[in-house]
Amino acid sequence: MRHLLSTADLSRADAVALLDTAEAMAQTQSRTIKKLPALRGLTIVNLFFEDSTRTRISFEAAAKRLSADVINFSAKGSSVSKGESLKDTAQTLRAIGADAVVVRHPASGAPHRLAHAGWIDTPVVNAGDGMHQHPTQALLDAFTLRRHLSGGEGDLAGRHVVVVGDVLHSRVARSNVDLLATLGARVTLVAPPTLLPIGVGAWRCEVSSDLDAALVGDVQGEVDAVMMLRVQRERMTSGFFPSEREYARRYGLDAARVDRLPPHALVLHPGPMNRGLEISAEAADSPRSTVVEQVANGVSVRMAVLYTLLAGDLAGEGVA
Amino acid sequence: MPDLNTTRVVLETDEISRALTRIAHEILERNRGSADLVLLGIPRRGVPLAARLAERIARAEGDGERPAVPVGEIDITLYRDDIRRRPTRGLTPTRLPEGGIDEKNVVLVDDVLYSGRSVRAALDALADLGRPRTVQLAALVDRGHRQLPIRADYVGKNLPTATSERVGVQLVEVDGQDAVTISDAVATDSATDARRATR
């Protein structure tokens, strides 16, 4: 694996190996000394063209726990705001001697361009691009699900995950559908028809616009997890739904809906949560909610990704 | 056509068994018993070896009342200095016995002692996990060619080798049989074999 750009690129074996590595990384994070020397001497650049404190500090913590040096590059206040192109930025990174680039960009496909245009020759990790992909988020969601549903081993075969909310604008939903399907899980997307992308019928999932019906188990089995998506208020400009109140009533996860879930079912949310809109405070704070755990798991998963991409770079040389 | 890849068995089941019994007694002798002793296996084959040593130590102590010697395993992958020179390797969990390793006499157990780099990595890993009183090293086979100033306290068999040769350790728990073999390195069967040979 050279880059991590999309969960659609991952084979089942790749995905399980990443989750296994993340499990081993998580184990090291309960120690007094959390830092490991694996990536000592390497420089990782966090290239953030879009604000995201949560994802950036998660990548930063992951890189630092593996002893890499981290340079944070945020577009705001940088030469990007003076009109510098992605190519020029990439060439600057090459000159600095970056060993890996973690990129967040508002344009779908920007990490792919960075990885394949020949401007730099380092591994590229997609930390979220436009409405396209957010692979480490999907991996941490799968990691969280696997821990609770499969004892932290193997894949998610036979599990049923319901993904609810703004699928249209959600890179989290896209990444999760690809990864969960690869891991053998059954995925049901629930969204207002206005918030479903064109062509969703070709995705490896079922689609519904009735949350209550989707949460009830069917002949194929009951629901194992509900993943709520954030309503991106900044993108709700053209009347995708009549009112926030109506959205909350039809597509929000409240205590009553949580109570109807099977006892083992989990509630996931990628954060930040709009309490009272897509998720009620009771549901967000219920014991089934893994929101805080997901953040901790994010560091382990990103450690696994950086380790997998950066260790073994000069494969085949050297003797122990 | 002559078989270029000649493999000789240098230790068989009962010889491995005797070597481990001897090492167990040497450990007890040097540490004056099994109090405060912890055995830590280095994956992969150091782990079953550590378990076998613990069993022999418990048997040698012989009063049946004493708890068995605590056994754990220590993953050294992230501490290797050749991490970027090899294909990425899978991590194995580090399992420390209850009570940890602080102020304990820790015996690291590995199958083959070669360059010493695995042991160096294990010492670094130990330093992150706690502060043992002493650290000792037990290896089933010492094949020489050290690249670091490291030596074993307990050795099953000293096996003079050429660097071109490969030493393979097979254990029932991992490979279905017990044997130590030495072969001329003609072709590398797999990364696993290479790693086994160079440990």
Side-chain angles (χ1 to χ4, degrees):
Chain A
M1 200 165 76
R2 176 85 174 120
H3 307 287
L4 180 65
L5 301 173
S6 161
T7 48
D9 302 337
L10 293 174
S11 68
R12 189 192 158 280
D14 287 340
V16 171
L18 274 173
L19 297 179
D20 287 344
T21 306
E23 198 66 59
M25 292 294 181
Q27 195 220 7
T28 67
Q29 296 309 296
S30 54
R31 300 182 190 165
T32 324
I33 299 177
K34 297 182 173 63
K35 206 165 167 114
L36 300 157
L39 302 183
R40 199 156 50 93
L42 300 184
T43 303
I44 294 170
V45 176
N46 285 330
L47 184 58
F48 276 57
F49 292 94
E50 196 178 72
D51 293 336
S52 174
T53 310
R54 182 183 299 246
T55 305
R56 186 183 57 72
I57 61 173
S58 181
F59 269 107
E60 187 172 347
K64 286 181 170 170
R65 300 266 167 91
L66 291 170
S67 300
D69 295 314
V70 182
I71 297 174
N72 286 312
F73 181 105
S74 125
K76 212 177 269 176
S78 77
S79 47
V80 173
S81 59
K82 300 173 194 163
E84 188 180 75
S85 70
L86 184 60
K87 181 179 179 182
D88 292 328
T89 307
Q91 284 171 338
T92 305
L93 297 181
R94 182 182 204 156
I96 287 171
D99 295 291
V101 180
V102 175
V103 61
R104 152 81 58 121
H105 202 286
S108 303
H112 188 271
R113 182 103 174 108
L114 196 61
H116 295 293
W119 302 327
I120 49 169
D121 50 9
T122 62
V124 173
V125 181
N126 182 359
D129 60 334
M131 297 185 246
H132 176 225
Q133 280 275 337
H134 193 357
T136 54
Q137 176 70 45
L139 282 164
L140 79 87
D141 289 337
F143 180 85
T144 308
L145 288 169
R146 192 175 82 145
R147 272 211 158 168
H148 288 273
L149 301 175
S150 309
E153 285 175 8
D155 58 18
L156 292 168
R159 297 303 188 172
H160 185 193
V161 182
V162 176
V163 181
V164 189
D166 177 8
V167 177
L168 177 63
H169 298 106
S170 177
R171 53 195 172 211
V172 175
R174 269 172 194 74
S175 312
N176 263 302
V177 169
D178 288 333
L179 182 64
L180 292 173
T182 300
L183 288 170
R186 178 180 161 216
V187 184
T188 304
L189 291 178
V190 180
T194 48
L195 285 172
L196 282 170
I198 293 168
V200 72
W203 294 15
R204 291 187 287 170
C205 61
E206 295 152 43
V207 181
S208 160
S209 51
D210 185 343
L211 178 57
D212 289 310
L215 292 184
V216 177
D218 55 20
V219 282
Q220 292 183 59
E222 52 193 6
V223 172
D224 295 296
V226 186
M227 188 182 293
M228 302 308 296
L229 301 172
R230 183 170 68 90
V231 173
Q232 303 177 48
R233 285 185 161 117
E234 67 273 20
R235 287 179 170 138
M236 293 303 143
T237 47
S238 34
F240 290 104
F241 48 81
S243 71
E244 291 196 353
R245 212 165 136 198
E246 182 176 328
Y247 182 90
R249 193 168 52 76
R250 291 204 57 190
Y251 296 101
L253 191 69
D254 56 17
R257 285 186 170 124
V258 170
D259 286 343
R260 289 204 296 275
L261 291 171
H264 72 281
L266 307 171
V267 173
L268 286 83
H269 192 297
M273 293 184 281
N274 296 309
R275 285 173 184 250
L277 182 49
E278 74 265 6
I279 190 163
S280 74
E282 292 94 327
D285 300 329
S286 79
R288 297 152 179 276
S289 162
T290 60
V291 178
V292 179
E293 190 189 330
Q294 283 170 271
V295 177
N297 292 344
V299 177
S300 307
V301 161
R302 287 168 181 129
M303 287 173 77
V305 168
L306 294 175
Y307 167 73
T308 304
L309 293 180
L310 280 167
D313 203 27
L314 312 165
E317 294 176 31
V319 176
Chain B
M1 234 179 96
D3 182 7
L4 291 172
N5 197 2
T6 50
T7 300
R8 316 194 299 282
V9 176
V10 286
L11 287 181
E12 288 176 346
T13 310
D14 47 349
E15 291 167 304
I16 291 174
S17 172
R18 279 197 293 273
L20 290 174
T21 305
R22 176 171 52 75
I23 291 175
H25 284 275
E26 285 174 2
I27 291 173
L28 282 174
E29 197 173 329
R30 172 177 310 198
N31 294 285
R32 297 192 182 88
S34 62
D36 288 341
L37 206 56
V38 171
L39 303 183
L40 288 184
I42 299 177
R44 202 165 157 210
R45 289 173 181 74
V47 177
L49 287 176
R52 289 194 203 181
L53 283 174
E55 180 203 328
R56 281 168 166 79
I57 288 170
R59 221 186 298 156
E61 287 280 80
D63 58 10
E65 298 288 308
R66 301 176 67 92
V69 185
V71 185
E73 55 183 284
I74 180 165
D75 184 50
I76 59 165
T77 314
L78 295 164
Y79 294 85
R80 298 189 73 102
D81 58 4
D82 61 347
I83 197 163
R84 301 196 66 216
R85 294 172 161 266
R86 307 276 210 95
T88 312
R89 52 187 87 211
L91 308 180
T92 51
T94 291
R95 291 195 182 89
L96 292 187
E98 243 173 80
I101 55 168
D102 287 344
E103 292 307 314
K104 298 286 166 62
N105 296 314
V106 171
V107 182
L108 292 171
V109 184
D110 204 356
D111 53 353
V112 180
L113 179 59
Y114 184 29
S115 66
R117 287 176 188 264
S118 296
V119 177
R120 184 211 58 82
L123 290 171
D124 278 359
L126 269 186
D128 277 1
L129 294 167
R131 189 183 176 282
R133 189 187 306 147
T134 62
V135 183
Q136 300 158 28
L137 174 63
L140 182 59
V141 175
D142 183 348
R143 63 168 295 195
H145 305 290
R146 212 78 76 237
Q147 295 167 2
L148 295 169
I150 281 170
R151 66 173 183 80
D153 301 274
Y154 315 100
V155 178
K157 186 175 176 64
N158 283 297
L159 196 60
T161 56
T163 45
S164 61
E165 289 171 319
R166 302 187 325 133
V167 175
V169 172
Q170 296 176 320
L171 297 175
V172 170
E173 296 89 334
V174 181
D175 312 282
Q177 61 165 355
D178 274 356
V180 175
T181 59
I182 183 165
S183 54
D184 303 328
V186 177
T188 308
D189 298 330
S190 69
T192 320
D193 280 355
R195 180 163 60 161
R196 187 192 311 158
T198 53
R199 270 269 168 91

